[in-house]
Structures are given as structure tokens and as C-alpha cells.
Amino acid sequence: MQNIDVSSPAPLIAILAGEDSGDQLGADLIVALRQRYPQARFVGIGGARMQAQGFESWYDIHELSLFGFSEVISHLPRLLRLRKALVARLLQAKPTVVVGIDAPDFNLGVEQRLKQAGLLTVHYVSPSVWAWREKRAEKIGRSASRVLCLFPMEPAIYAKHGIDARFVGHPLADRFALVSDRVGARDVLQLPQQAPVLAVLPGSRLSELARLGQTFIDAAAQVAAAIPGLRIVIPAANPQVHARLKALLAKSPHDETAPLLLDGHAHEAMLASDVVLLASGTATLEAMLAKRPMVVGYRVAPLSYRIARAMKMLKTDIYSLPNILARASGLDDDRLVPELMQDDCTATNLASASLALFRDSERRSHIVNAFEQLHQTLRGGMEGHAGDRAAAAIAELIDEAPAHG
């Protein structure tokens, strides 16, 4: 394995981010790394937030914004061409370190090729080894010199396979106060303080809305029919999602107050709500950090679901991050969040579960208390922000590199 020259005062740091969440992580990481390496140059794949920090993006971040088996398969030739070109460019550039952020189906293959060629590689955001095949940890170890984990239960899994993994904390835990401000959020959104409020988040991708949008809107309408004066807020992740949600709402008559469709403001919508109805994913973690009881529903593409079931790939009977964290943290109640997946994800089932939360104040209080405990767990009692800790773990690896060449 070749030595890596880190003596230059201006290291070249490659970052490969997929999705908006990766772009935010990458931007935070660039800020923190630049404090350690003021003259560093940052290149790779990133979005607007990373580019605002001086990042040079070689490819459009949306090239990697895919999920599910069928979606990836349909774009596989293009992704393989992109990966081949990217690997060649990185091998020629010889960056000091390559940091792949999430997007494991794409990034782990790139990282493995680069690690085999002698480059330092870091994978930031561990794939869900606790939910899917744990043996994946070994493959990840072949790709990454170090894995940076957002959840506290993950490093122990990697340790069983002899892989260097560090818990750096979850960046979202830094962005939410331990005690949420419902009054302030309602003021921002101009919602009445005493009205019951339901936040609805059916997904941040058009493909998710195609499968879930109408179901969630119909569920919200059923809740509104049962709760007088209910206010519904629906934050849209981007202009395309906003347009699609607006079209769906136009087909769904509302007898009383029409849902409030927002441009962004997902955090405020959650904080302002009494109950959140949302699609499974990172948004469930945000709702947990907002300390809001929630109902989670999800459907993947039928082909993706059949493949996962046939291959017995899913190793957990719970799906939402709050429930997974509750179980990993040893809480007595690891069913804090009702989960309605695939065929169970119907408007009637979602509405029924949401109404049950609205009508049970004692249950809501129990959930809020548990979410406060889990928020503390995600901070890990550590100083600084997640981006700072991730940068420190990367800098440590860089500084150790000559000794391991």
C-alpha cells in the first residue's frame, strides 16, 4: 500500500455526497475541515450547500438520488459509467482522503476501488447494518479505512468484524432543542395556538408521492372529518414536490379549513403539530427530535419489496428510526411509533392510528418523555457538533496515514 503525502498545507479532500441530506452533511464537514486545513481544496460530487462552501462539484448530485432495487436497476448503465469515470478521475487526482457520504450502493464500490489503490477512504453515515444483513459490515470494511456512525449502537457491530468505526453523533440532534417550542413554531406558521394540528409529510421524492401522496392526503381528510377545527400543515421539500402536492390536494375536497401547503419549513411544521403523519425515513428522526408523537407509513416499489422478502434481507421487525433507537437504547417500549408498512399502509389505517394519538394525551406524554431520552442518546454526551467530531475523526486518520503506509 502506497504512502499518502499529507505534508502539503493545501490537501485535496474528495467528498462524494448523494441526496439533500448528504449535501448538508458535506457542507458542515467542509466548514469543520477548513478550520483544520484552511487552504484545503474540496472536490467530488456535491450540491448547492457544499458548493456555497467553496466545493468544486464534478458531477450533479442528483445523479445519485436513487433508492430501491428497481430504481437503481433502471439507471444501472448510467451509474456504472459515472462510477468508472469518477474512479479514474480520483485515481489521477490522488486526494489526501476520499469521504463517501451515504449513498452506499454507489459510494462503497467507489471507495473499495480507491482503497485498493492505496487511497485513504472514509464512509460517513453507516448503512443500516442493524436492519439488513450484518455481514455487510465486512464489505464496508473492505471499502472504508474508517466508518463514521450517526447512531450509538453501530460501532459495536463493526467492532465484531474488526472494522474501525466511530460514533460521531447525529447532526440533526444538534439542530433541535432538547425542549421543543410549539408556541414559537405556530407563530411562525400563523397557526392558532389552541387548535389541534396535524403535520403531514408523505415523502420528499416524486416517486414517494406517486406511491404515498394520495393515501396520506386521504388519511388526513379522514382525521379532519373526526376532529373539529383540525389544522393540517403539509411541508413540501422542493418546488417539484410542492407542485405535485398541490395537484393532489386539488383533487381532494375539504369541507372546512384547507390544508396549509408550505414551501419547506418541515421542522416548523413538526414543532407546531400535535401529531405527525409521515413516510418512513429520516423525517421520522426529525419528528422524534421535535418530540412529536407520530404515525409512520410506507410502501416501496412492489418489485423492491418482493426482492427484499424473497432474499430475506430485512433482519428487523421494526422499521422507523425512533423505534429502532428505543430498542437499541434498552427502553421498555420499543413500539413508540405505530408503523403501517406496504399493504397495511392505507388511508383508513393511517387515519385510525393518528386519531388514537390525538385522543390519548397520556400516551402522547409518554412518547414525548421517551423521545427526550433518545435525543440525549444521539448527542452522546459529547462536546461540539457532529460535523466537528466527524472532521476530527477524518483529520486523525490523515495524521496517522504516514505511519500506516
Side-chain angles (χ1 to χ4, degrees), residues 109-387:
V110 173
E111 292 162 26
Q112 184 171 359
R113 290 284 308 279
L114 299 177
K115 186 180 180 185
Q116 289 172 345
L119 295 178
L120 273 182
T121 58
V122 173
H123 193 76
Y124 187 10
V125 183
S126 166
S128 303
V129 291
W130 30 262
W132 300 84
R133 294 165 298 178
E134 188 175 310
K135 293 284 284 185
R136 283 189 76 192
E138 295 180 3
K139 177 183 178 182
I140 296 163
R142 292 193 293 270
S143 299
S145 309
R146 176 168 289 172
V147 182
L148 305 183
C149 302
L150 306 190
F151 299 108
M153 68 280 194
E154 293 173 327
I157 296 173
Y158 285 99
K160 289 192 292 185
H161 300 275
I163 297 163
D164 180 7
R166 304 289 178 88
F167 171 52
V168 297
H170 203 293
L172 283 174
D174 300 324
R175 297 196 180 107
F176 283 87
L178 287 174
V179 178
S180 57
D181 182 9
R182 185 198 312 269
V183 172
R186 291 196 175 192
D187 283 343
V188 168
L189 300 181
Q190 298 182 333
L191 292 169
Q193 292 294 338
Q194 303 306 317
V197 175
L198 173 70
V200 181
L201 294 89
S204 59
R205 304 179 181 95
L206 292 177
S207 54
E208 286 178 314
L209 291 184
R211 287 193 292 273
L212 301 170
Q214 192 64 59
T215 299
F216 274 61
I217 287 172
D218 290 346
Q222 291 183 32
V223 177
I227 299 179
L230 180 75
R231 304 298 296 269
I232 300 169
V233 290
I234 309 177
N238 55 55
Q240 294 77 22
V241 168
H242 187 281
R244 180 59 180 156
L245 286 168
K246 185 176 181 180
L248 290 173
L249 288 169
K251 297 189 298 182
S252 302
H254 293 270
D255 295 333
E256 298 183 20
T257 306
L260 176 60
L261 182 58
L262 305 171
D263 290 312
H265 297 288
H267 289 186
E268 291 86 351
M270 292 178 183
L271 289 167
S273 70
D274 297 292
V275 174
V276 183
L277 173 60
L278 74 172
S280 183
T282 303
T284 64
L285 184 65
E286 298 176 42
M288 184 197 86
L289 294 168
K291 320 301 182 305
R292 292 297 176 260
M294 72 190 85
V295 173
V296 171
Y298 207 69
R299 284 195 297 264
V300 298
L303 176 59
S304 297
Y305 182 70
R306 288 198 298 271
I307 291 174
R309 288 292 299 271
M311 296 179 68
K312 299 181 179 178
M313 296 179 68
L314 197 60
K315 301 299 182 184
T316 181
D317 60 341
I318 52 178
Y319 306 93
S320 65
L321 285 168
N323 284 349
I324 290 165
L325 285 170
R327 178 174 292 180
S329 300
L331 295 189
D332 292 337
D333 185 356
D334 63 5
R335 299 283 181 172
L336 295 166
V337 175
E339 299 172 336
L340 297 163
M341 313 303 287
Q342 212 62 17
D343 293 341
D344 291 331
C345 183
T346 66
T348 298
N349 287 346
L350 293 171
S352 178
S354 300
L355 285 168
L357 284 175
F358 271 106
R359 291 166 175 165
D360 190 344
S361 60
E362 185 175 339
R363 178 63 179 168
R364 294 201 307 273
S365 295
H366 167 75
I367 292 169
V368 169
N369 290 335
F371 285 173
E372 288 175 350
Q373 294 181 54
L374 294 175
H375 191 164
Q376 293 279 21
T377 299
L378 283 184
R379 286 189 171 180
M382 299 179 290
E383 295 183 358
H385 295 283

Side-chain angles (χ1 to χ4, degrees), residues 66-68 72 83 102-110 123 136 139:
L66 301 170
F67 71 110
V72 172
R83 186 164 71 180
D102 211 354
D105 292 330
F106 181 89
N107 276 336
L108 290 175
V110 173
H123 193 76
R136 283 189 76 192
K139 177 183 178 182

